[in-house]
């Protein structure tokens, strides 16, 4: 289960308060200390934790929570609200173009789940909006990526545009977009190359593809299981590409939760979707309030 470690620690921290009839300043300080450690252990960004703790403490003291009825319950409410805020408050929908096609460019490191997410999102749009997407296979460096996308397309009956691995990705994107205009596809997904780490060649290629495609949405696909590395990666991609949203994958295997809790606060970019499994229907809209409730257990 995702976040199990964090949930347990937060629950323990709050259980300490619940046992007290009256909560003193010192009790609050101790609880906040435990919450702080729980968040740091979950690999939440240090500055994000600092701001969070300060805000919760100020709200709890300012509102005279400690003197009121049920202080523990009120503190849980404040923690819940602040966790929700930290993750972006509300679900952020996909950017859509006024005229078709809406162009969605995917970016992210190799193995983060780009190709899988293209399939999941295209299927979601097909099912929910009766959309007719076109998938462009522009990851020519990992030959299996093209086969993988073509297989997904075959299974879901969604067309895939590919020119193999010998054509420059910029050219593939140009031709793919021309085809989408000709065929009146309403969405175009561009599956781009990833690397093990951010490097200049990759970033130049992605920046060129962005110039060519003028995407309505640049989704950064991030592996939740990589914690603070995911956050650093997100900053690196965002600096160069100015991404419009994040997809956090592999949340099903993320026992810590640090990336989910930090990415919005650190980059300012919304998490739009979360991947929660390998199957094509394991993609969900990200709701910060629901995620906060889930974390608090
Ligand atoms: P890419 O290199 O970024 O295109 O990554 P892939 O789409 O090939 O995904 C890499 C691996 O991660 C594959 O084995 C996927 O099945 C797996 N994967 C992708 N998203 C998720 C997810 O949300 N949960 C889990 N458990 N696995 C995922």
């Amino acid at each position: 289960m995702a976040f199990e470690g964090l949930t347990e620690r937060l629950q323990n921290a709050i259980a300490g308060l619940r046992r007290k009839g009256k909560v003193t300043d010192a009790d609050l300080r101790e609880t906040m200390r435990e919450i702080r450690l729980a968040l740091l252990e979950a690999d939440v960004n240090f500055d994000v934790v600092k701001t969070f703790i300060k805000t919760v403490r100020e709200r709890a003291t300012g509102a005279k929570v400690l003197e009121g009825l049920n202080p523990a319950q009120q503190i849980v409410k404040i923690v819940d609200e602040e966790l929700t805020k930290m993750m972006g408050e509300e679900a952020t929908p996909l950017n859509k173009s006024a005229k078709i096609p809406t162009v969605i460019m995917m970016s992210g490191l190799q193995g983060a789940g780009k190709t899988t997410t293209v399939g999941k999102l295209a299927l979601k749009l097909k099912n929910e909006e009766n959309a007719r997407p076109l998938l462009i296979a522009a990851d020519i460096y990992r030959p299996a990526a093209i086969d993988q996308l073509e297989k997904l397309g075959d299974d879901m009956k969604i067309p895939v545009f590919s020119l193999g691995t010998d054509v420059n990705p910029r050219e593939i994107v140009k031709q793919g977009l021309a085809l989408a205009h000709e065929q009146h596809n309403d969405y175009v997904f561009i599956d781009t190359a990833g690397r093990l780490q951010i490097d200049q060649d990759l970033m130049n290629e992605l920046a060129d593809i962005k110039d060519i495609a003028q995407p309505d949405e640049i989704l950064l696909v991030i592996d939740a299981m990589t914690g603070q590395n995911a956050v650093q990666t997100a900053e690196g991609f965002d600096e160069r590409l100015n991404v419009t949203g994040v997809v956090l994958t592999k949340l099903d295997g993320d026992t810590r939760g640090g990336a989910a809790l930090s990415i919005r606060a650190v980059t300012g970019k919304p998490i739009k979707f979360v991947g929660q499994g390998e199957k094509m229907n394991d993609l969900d809209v990200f709701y910060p309030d629901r995620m906060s409730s889930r974390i608090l257990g």
Side-chain angles (χ1 to χ4, degrees):
M1 234 297 268
F3 305 142
E4 56 196 0
L6 179 57
T7 299
E8 195 186 333
R9 294 211 44 178
L10 288 177
Q11 282 179 345
N12 286 344
I14 287 156
L17 273 190
R18 287 198 207 277
R19 279 195 294 272
K20 316 245 173 194
K22 200 169 159 295
V23 175
T24 64
D25 233 10
D27 296 332
L28 177 66
R29 218 174 307 126
E30 174 56 20
T31 303
M32 292 317 296
R33 196 185 70 86
E34 285 172 28
I35 292 178
R36 179 173 167 275
L37 288 176
L39 291 171
L40 288 175
E41 202 160 289
D43 206 17
V44 181
N45 174 278
F46 185 81
D47 292 330
V48 173
V49 174
K50 211 166 132 186
T51 310
F52 174 83
I53 295 294
K54 185 164 170 277
T55 312
V56 173
R57 193 182 285 145
E58 276 171 11
R59 282 190 60 188
T61 20
K64 300 207 183 307
V65 163
L66 306 188
E67 295 157 27
L69 279 176
N70 251 326
Q73 208 166 314
Q74 289 193 56
I75 288 166
V76 174
K77 187 165 173 278
I78 295 173
V79 169
D80 186 17
E81 286 169 5
E82 292 302 324
L83 282 179
T84 303
K85 240 185 247 168
M86 193 160 136
M87 291 185 285
E89 205 103 54
E90 299 207 333
T92 314
L94 212 51
N95 292 340
K96 289 186 187 169
S97 160
K99 54 181 209 300
I100 63 164
T102 288
V103 177
I104 302 171
M105 174 175 166
M106 310 298 284
S107 60
L109 293 182
Q110 190 172 311
K114 271 184 311 296
T115 307
T116 310
T117 303
V118 167
K120 287 174 171 176
L121 198 49
L123 183 65
K124 193 176 177 63
L125 292 166
K126 186 180 173 195
N127 288 342
E128 290 176 4
E129 302 179 10
N130 225 350
R132 297 189 320 109
L134 177 70
L135 316 183
I136 300 180
D139 179 359
I140 62 165
Y141 308 104
R142 184 168 71 92
I146 297 183
D147 298 344
Q148 192 184 339
L149 196 64
E150 283 179 336
K151 170 145 195 336
L152 288 176
D154 256 6
D155 292 348
M156 302 185 304
K157 309 218 167 355
I158 293 175
V160 175
F161 179 80
S162 134
L163 293 173
T165 54
D166 296 332
V167 179
N168 189 299
R170 297 162 182 84
E171 186 57 32
I172 297 176
V173 169
K174 262 185 220 157
Q175 292 195 27
L177 284 169
L179 181 69
H181 278 103
E182 212 177 286
Q183 297 183 340
H184 306 289
N185 291 101
D186 39 16
Y187 290 93
V188 174
F189 284 89
I190 306 172
D191 189 22
T192 63
R195 299 280 153 82
L196 295 176
Q197 290 164 9
I198 292 180
D199 70 42
Q200 269 325 310
D201 279 354
L202 173 66
M203 285 301 154
N204 290 342
E205 180 175 307
L206 294 179
D208 287 352
I209 291 178
K210 178 182 172 180
D211 281 349
I212 292 166
Q214 300 288 316
D216 304 286
E217 183 86 75
I218 303 178
L219 290 178
L220 176 62
V221 180
I222 289 281
D223 177 345
M225 286 163 69
T226 58
Q228 279 316 295
N229 284 337
V231 178
Q232 267 171 22
T233 303
E235 284 187 287
F237 273 89
D238 190 37
E239 212 169 86
R240 189 68 199 271
L241 292 178
N242 194 9
V243 307
T244 54
V246 174
V247 180
L248 203 57
T249 61
K250 309 187 197 182
L251 211 63
D252 49 306
D254 177 27
T255 52
R256 305 223 279 168
L261 283 163
S262 314
I263 280 205
R264 172 62 190 247
V266 172
T267 65
K269 298 300 161 72
I271 300 174
K272 295 198 170 183
F273 299 94
V274 285
Q276 318 217 53
E278 291 191 274
K279 291 204 286 298
M280 279 300 109
N281 55 7
D282 293 330
L283 183 82
D284 298 295
V285 171
F286 180 71
Y287 293 97
D289 53 343
R290 291 185 203 170
M291 190 57 71
S292 172
S293 307
R294 185 165 139 192
I295 288 168
L296 285 171

